[in-house]
Amino acid sequence: MHLSSTLCFVLLHFYVASSVVLLRHHHNNNNPNHNRSPILQGNQTSCALFIGTWVYDETYPLYQSSSCPTVDAQFNCQMYGRPDTEYLKYRWKPSNCELPRFNGVEFLLKMKGKTVMFVGDSLGRDQWESLICMISGDVPKAQTQMSRSYPMSTFKFLDYGVSISYYKAPYLVDIDTVQGKRVLKLDDIRGNANAWIGVDVLCFNTGHWWTHKGPMQGWDSVEAGGTMYEDMDPLVAMEKGLRTWARWIDANIDRSRTRLFFQGISPTHYDPNEWKAGASTGSCYGETSPVTTTPMTVTYQRADSDQSNVIQTVIREMDNLPFLLDITLLSTMRKDAHPSIYSGDLNSQQKINPNKPDCSHWCLPGLPDTWNQLFYTALFY
């Protein structure tokens, strides 16, 4: 198959997947029993939100990290010495429409008195901090309050009664300590989910932690169906956990009260062969611009797609369907947007010898701002 044909197939596959979600939302929003804003103005399926290109825009970024005290050191690339700024200047342009520009005042007015919560792993925290910064940039004199704790941290815009929280639950389902061992309970979610009841907007994510091994693995054993396992295929475990989450959502979330979102898989960029054929060494370190050629988008059919397929399969079978923020492909193009060695979480030796840069998380300002622009679009337009 020619490269261009392969690319067309990949783009069509994910456009169709996203369109299915949009279509079903359109159907549900026409139900008078559901008090929902339309997903998009006009023909709600005419805009392929997640298929497009990155365009250089001098009006970006939308804020400066120096003016946003909530940015963690891990994501604060400018503070920790990143010398280039071009990566801050790219705007996502869907192929057949324009995204509305983010407006923090509008967000707060439309969400007045309401709660927003991001639930998942550190990619959800990346997006949570981004949204706070984006809003704060438009209301710099607003009265605010911040509380950080485990598993939930909350930022409040007091003048508007808006609370934006992050709840850490990398697997969504529960992890309990049993006889000194961490047990990942694929059938149980009550310990985490009690915190999600009554929230007005919920945005979930999971993915990376399911594949962690060795010291990075977050559990010692897995329990499913009353049986304990020392190991389990990560995709099988992920699907079981997501189905537990989906059953809880269908049984406990009131659609007339709560808007539901699910963030797609956030890609990593540790293998330069994905965008530079024949590369023998390297990673995201030193990358300063997005991918604009086709090989990178074709390689979207890699490990990320297996997890994406699990998410899409589970979501399609839910009664209480979340809006899928299918950010994987557009994020795959952004090999330039990671902290690399410019992270406050790295020690001085790691920064001098960058063999293990952070090519998983994202700089702020940066790519998660686009995730939130898409979130904003789906929420209000």
Side-chain angles (χ1 to χ4, degrees):
M1 183 181 290
H2 292 298
L3 186 61
S4 59
S5 300
T6 305
L7 176 60
C8 288
F9 174 80
V10 173
L11 296 182
L12 178 62
H13 172 77
F14 286 98
Y15 172 70
V16 169
S18 298
S19 295
V20 168
V21 177
L22 282 168
L23 280 167
R24 193 162 170 192
H25 262 280
H26 178 55
H27 171 75
N28 288 334
N29 286 338
N30 285 337
N31 187 333
N33 295 323
H34 296 307
N35 182 21
R36 298 298 186 92
S37 299
I39 297 301
L40 296 171
Q41 292 176 342
N43 183 346
Q44 295 177 11
T45 60
S46 65
C47 181
L49 290 177
F50 309 109
I51 303 298
T53 56
W54 289 99
V55 297
Y56 193 82
D57 189 332
E58 281 289 355
T59 68
Y60 276 54
L62 301 177
Y63 60 92
Q64 299 295 326
S65 60
S66 58
S67 63
C68 188
T70 59
V71 176
D72 281 345
Q74 186 176 19
F75 312 137
N76 201 335
C77 305
Q78 289 295 306
M79 176 177 284
Y80 288 93
R82 181 157 179 170
D84 60 305
T85 58
E86 190 176 77
Y87 74 97
L88 298 170
K89 300 289 187 180
Y90 286 95
R91 172 174 56 84
W92 178 247
K93 169 67 173 70
S95 57
N96 59 345
C97 60
E98 289 283 351
L99 294 178
R101 191 173 179 89
F102 184 89
N103 185 314
V105 175
E106 180 188 34
F107 187 99
L108 292 174
L109 289 173
K110 289 189 173 182
M111 291 298 298
K112 191 169 185 177
K114 296 185 182 297
T115 53
V116 179
M117 185 182 292
F118 295 92
V119 180
D121 59 27
S122 55
L123 280 311
R125 180 163 56 91
D126 219 338
Q127 186 174 0
W128 170 66
E129 293 183 11
S130 162
L131 182 59
I132 293 169
C133 293
M134 291 170 75
I135 297 171
S136 297
D138 286 341
V139 288
K141 296 182 180 179
Q143 295 295 309
T144 62
Q145 183 182 81
M146 176 70 162
S147 63
R148 285 187 184 264
S149 58
Y150 180 86
M152 186 166 73
S153 298
T154 299
F155 190 95
K156 295 180 179 180
F157 290 91
L158 299 174
D159 301 331
Y160 299 87
V162 175
S163 295
I164 304 176
S165 299
Y166 164 66
Y167 187 97
K168 185 175 182 179
Y171 304 99
L172 300 182
V173 292
D174 295 344
I175 295 181
D176 290 343
T177 301
V178 180
Q179 297 180 342
K181 289 191 173 183
R182 300 165 301 170
V183 180
L184 178 60
K185 299 202 153 190
L186 297 181
D187 301 325
D188 199 351
I189 201 168
R190 291 169 295 176
N192 287 330
N194 284 335
W196 312 337
I197 295 174
V199 176
D200 296 293
V201 180
L202 283 165
C203 183
F204 294 91
N205 88 290
T206 189
H208 286 212
W209 281 57
W210 295 96
T211 60
H212 287 176
K213 296 293 184 182
M216 296 287 290
Q217 185 171 289
W219 48 267
D220 300 306
S221 56
V222 178
E223 182 178 349
T227 302
M228 299 290 288
Y229 300 89
E230 292 303 310
D231 200 5
M232 184 179 288
D233 180 282
L235 288 176
V236 172
M238 181 179 175
E239 182 169 350
K240 287 180 181 293
L242 271 179
R243 291 194 181 280
T244 296
W245 167 82
R247 285 192 296 271
W248 186 90
I249 291 291
D250 284 342
N252 293 279
I253 294 298
D254 180 357
R255 288 205 56 158
S256 68
R257 163 75 191 272
T258 300
R259 295 287 299 273
L260 285 171
F261 293 82
F262 201 100
Q263 182 201 88
I265 299 298
S266 175
T268 62
H269 291 91
Y270 289 101
D271 182 3
N273 282 291
E274 293 170 356
W275 62 87
K276 188 187 303 179
S280 57
T281 60
S283 59
C284 68
Y285 173 67
E287 297 294 337
T288 59
S289 59
V291 169
T292 55
T293 54
T294 53
M296 183 65 179
T297 50
V298 169
T299 58
Y300 179 41
Q301 292 283 44
R302 52 181 192 168
D304 296 334
S305 66
D306 292 334
Q307 291 189 330
S308 294
N309 288 338
V310 169
I311 290 171
Q312 291 174 11
T313 297
V314 172
I315 284 178
R316 277 197 296 264
E317 296 174 8
M318 294 175 67
D319 295 325
N320 200 349
L321 189 74
F323 184 96
L324 178 61
L325 286 169
D326 194 3
I327 50 85
T328 310
L329 178 58
L330 64 91
S331 303
T332 298
M333 300 178 190
R334 294 306 306 272
K335 60 182 174 58
D336 59 314
H338 296 284
S340 181
I341 64 169
Y342 307 107
S343 166
D345 273 11
L346 300 181
N347 61 43
S348 56
Q349 289 302 312
Q350 288 172 312
K351 292 179 179 180
I352 294 170
N353 184 21
N355 290 326
K356 293 184 178 179
D358 183 350
C359 300
S360 176
H361 298 99
W362 307 94
C363 296
L364 294 179
L367 176 65
D369 303 335
T370 295
W371 300 349
N372 280 320
Q373 190 177 9
L374 291 161
F375 175 60
Y376 170 85
T377 301
L379 194 56
F380 300 131
Y381 289 85

